[in-house]
Amino acid sequence: MHSAPTAAAPGEGTPAVTPTHCPYCALQCGMGLRARGAGSVEVVERPEFPVNRGALCGKGRTAPELLSPGRRLTGPLVRDAASGALVPASWEQALDRIAEGLRRTRREHGADAVGVFGGGGLTNEKAYALGKFARVVLGTSQIDYNGRFCMSSAAAAHQRAFGLDRGLPFPLADVSRTGCLILVGSNLAETMPPALRYLTELRENGGKLIVVDPRRTRTAQAADLHLAPRPGTDLALALGLLHLVVAEGRTDEEFIRARTRGWAEARAGAMAHWPEYVERITGVPLPRLREAAELFCEAESAMVLTARGPEQQAKGTDTVGAWINLCLATGRAGRPLSGYGCLTGQGNGQGGREHGQKADQLPGYRKLTDPAAREHVARVWGVAPESLPGPGRSAYELLEALGGDIRSLLLMGSNPVVSAPRAGHIEERLRALDFLAVADVVLSETAALADVVLPVTQWAEETGTVTNLEGRVLLRCRALDPPEGVRSDLYVLSALAERLGVKKGFPTDPEEVFGELRRASAGGPADYSGISYRRLIEEQGVHWPCPEGEDAGDGEGGAGRGEGGTGHGDAGVGSDGTGSEGRSGRPSGREARPHPGTPRLFLDRFATEDGRARFVPVSHRPSAEEPDEEYPVFLTTGRVLAQYQSGAQTRRVDELNAAAPGSFVQLHPRLAARLGIAEGEEVAVVSRRGRAVAPARVSADIRQDTVFMPFHWPGAGRANSVTNPALDPTSRMPEFKVCAVRVERATG
């Protein structure tokens, strides 16, 4: 096993620096940690790491504050039957109680009455072990994770069009070198601040930036062109742009003939969305539509990047598909400095779904319904393929079933009391459970409802891999010991497996788990078999797919061949999980050259059976809930610079709370005047599902028919008390980004 590396100290007596990565968003910015004594560390820059080049946002800089025992859990808690309070307990008592709760539910109600809910912040090793635990130890199909709320619509659209889903099919650095970028529904300046430099460099290099957002965000202010459509109309906008491209003869017919299928049907769908019609739907003036189409088509290269804005809709998969169609029709895919990509949100949102947390997937991004995939993974796990359960419920459907079909829940690294749509209802379902166990770093709002709470290690206290938005697999290295009463999630799963009768197969050493993950992923779409901890240390990350064995290309080619990582089976990966350092397993005995990884996908062919991308015909349809007389205004939600996701961690950091102390309602001055609402006044936002109250923030940087709330806070200001859980039929993504509300003064 490889020990965590430390950089050489800059001078005598100066503590060494441990290279690692930020615990928050999917940039996974490189940083170093230097010991300060008394079990604390300070953050230092790592300018050599290519993604952020040393830059960090306030969340990254202050991340070590949460390592302090005063801000986090330091010992197990169990619910006292007499008082109803959570009280301290030993690890043995807590684990015994969890095992008994899960065992009792299985005995009385069956295996599928036990649910498992994971998180997009878990390392690849923990996500892999959690999926294996659910299917091998519990025998339940009821597992999903909060990453379903992140980029599942983009993933589904990726699969339909390209045959493979990876957030960005190219390195983030390529963004600064493209000719035109359309950024849809992303406020990159606040959600991923170190990435803003790529937009700045894009414009310095002569490229054009188009931002699509109902609000004039900090990111939109930096754009050459800002399009502000009505919430829920991104699909119509993309179709209108494609109509203009076709009408003006700007399609790339040679690319369409050589590298795609299905153009005739997609073209017909676009031509039904003539520009004047799209102008009426979206509210975007026709001259701006024409300007956007012109900027996109006249550039030598171009990209479209989407984020949660268009994806968190009940038609999110089709919406992303429409933007992909625009890229394909103009030849802006599978070519250098061009293509479609998704800006993954959560720290390990990409890797978290690749290795088994998602309800319908097995490690390596294999389909749970594929007999060959089941056979392969079952062989690695040492179980019969028929023993593996089938697909279960998606995240929201799983949460909604709590207290009904699902009687007990094991939850790791998620806070659905704040983050789930229709959150008040989900809180009720959690309270209705027979048994709830939560493993987390802090006592989140969800953990506070649990029967047992387990304190687990954080990013700086454990070694493990994550996969960033580029598909770059990275190694976080342990920099300090956790508090005495804290254990790792891998320890939790191993101890519970043993108590539930599975004595082997759940090691606690992350590198050993990663070795098994490599074998399980070998030959799958997300093939990690050629990646080792040693390589991650030496190379500052490796892009998947990276099959084990001899290099079959230059790492810049298509998917579906050697460099694409399919069809390799599990050749050459030894039982110690170190295949890429040893022999390839071929009878010739030649020394294998490690595969370089695949920074850029689809340059030669797409990952479909015939290597061609697929146009998918789509049409605009209304949101699941449109404004009406009773609820006349749109609500959209999002993040702010100083907080992250449900805020369970960032709300415990003084500097971040000072910058963003609570929720607010952003509304246009004309809407505020019509309602008689003044700046700072308490405002109620009411939907058919609930009510949220927060101070008004009056700003001309939002549409007059729309209000905005950030979703980081619990209590009265909980934005997700109001949001709509209507699901996309393909991705099962809830419609976080658009619902109908009324806005009123909260007094009285």
Side-chain angles (χ1 to χ4, degrees), residues 79-136:
R79 186 76 58 186
D80 180 70
S83 67
L86 286 170
V87 299
S90 70
W91 270 93
E92 292 298 310
Q93 290 170 325
L95 290 167
D96 287 346
R97 189 155 169 181
I98 295 174
E100 177 52 33
L102 301 180
R103 188 184 297 113
R104 182 172 60 251
T105 297
R106 292 177 66 206
R107 183 175 62 247
E108 295 177 359
H109 302 285
D112 273 357
V114 178
V116 177
F117 199 83
L122 300 181
T123 63
N124 290 319
E125 292 81 359
K126 293 190 285 189
Y128 171 83
L130 186 62
K132 180 181 178 182
F133 179 86
R135 295 176 174 109
V136 173

Side-chain angles (χ1 to χ4, degrees), residues 418-496:
V418 179
S419 64
R422 198 185 173 195
H425 174 66
I426 296 307
E427 183 175 347
E428 292 174 0
R429 301 323 308 150
L430 284 159
R431 293 181 184 276
L433 283 165
D434 295 340
F435 182 79
L436 172 63
V438 174
D440 208 333
V441 170
V442 298
L443 189 67
S444 69
E445 287 72 24
T446 304
L449 304 179
D451 297 285
V452 181
V453 182
L454 299 177
V456 291
T457 49
Q458 300 184 54
W459 57 290
E461 301 163 346
E462 60 187 13
T463 295
T465 62
V466 293
T467 306
N468 81 346
L469 77 173
E470 312 163 298
R472 188 193 300 258
V473 185
L474 303 164
L475 185 66
R476 290 181 185 165
C477 296
R478 176 170 172 158
L480 76 167
D481 295 333
E484 186 176 346
V486 174
R487 305 284 186 273
S488 74
D489 298 88
L490 294 180
Y491 171 85
V492 170
L493 294 174
S494 179
L496 288 176

Side-chain angles (χ1 to χ4, degrees), residues 498-679:
E498 185 172 357
R499 282 166 169 78
L500 293 169
V502 179
K503 307 296 184 182
K504 295 182 179 180
F506 289 89
T508 60
D509 175 56
E511 191 169 9
E512 187 176 350
V513 177
F514 189 73
E516 184 179 305
L517 181 157
R518 294 171 61 193
R519 298 194 297 277
S521 74
D527 190 336
Y528 283 32
S529 61
I531 303 173
S532 66
Y533 275 26
R534 180 191 298 173
R535 287 194 65 181
L536 297 179
I537 292 168
E538 294 173 350
E539 301 175 32
Q540 303 214 56
V542 177
H543 294 81
W544 71 261
C546 182
E548 189 277 335
E550 188 171 353
D551 179 9
D554 62 2
E556 299 287 323
R561 304 186 319 174
E563 60 269 41
T566 61
H568 283 266
D570 54 352
V573 182
S575 61
D576 63 352
T578 57
S580 66
E581 285 98 54
R583 300 276 178 177
S584 68
R586 295 175 177 82
S588 66
R590 293 179 300 166
E591 194 71 21
R593 292 183 299 159
H595 190 284
T598 316
R600 296 173 180 84
L601 297 168
F602 313 139
L603 295 184
D604 296 328
R605 66 195 308 273
F606 296 97
T608 56
E609 289 185 3
D610 60 6
R612 293 171 176 261
R614 303 289 194 261
F615 283 99
V616 178
V618 294
S619 296
H620 172 72
R621 58 185 185 272
S623 298
E625 185 178 71
E626 293 283 333
D628 56 21
E629 188 174 332
E630 187 176 3
Y631 301 97
V633 176
F634 290 106
L635 169 71
T636 191
T637 64
R639 287 170 47 191
V640 296
L641 175 62
Q643 301 289 353
Y644 180 72
Q645 304 300 67
S646 77
Q649 297 181 55
T650 50
R651 285 187 272 113
R652 288 169 166 80
V653 177
D654 294 341
E655 179 182 324
L656 302 179
N657 269 337
S663 189
F664 60 86
V665 179
Q666 183 186 32
L667 70 166
H668 193 275
R670 291 183 181 174
L671 177 60
R674 191 163 73 244
L675 298 172
I677 293 170
E679 173 75 22

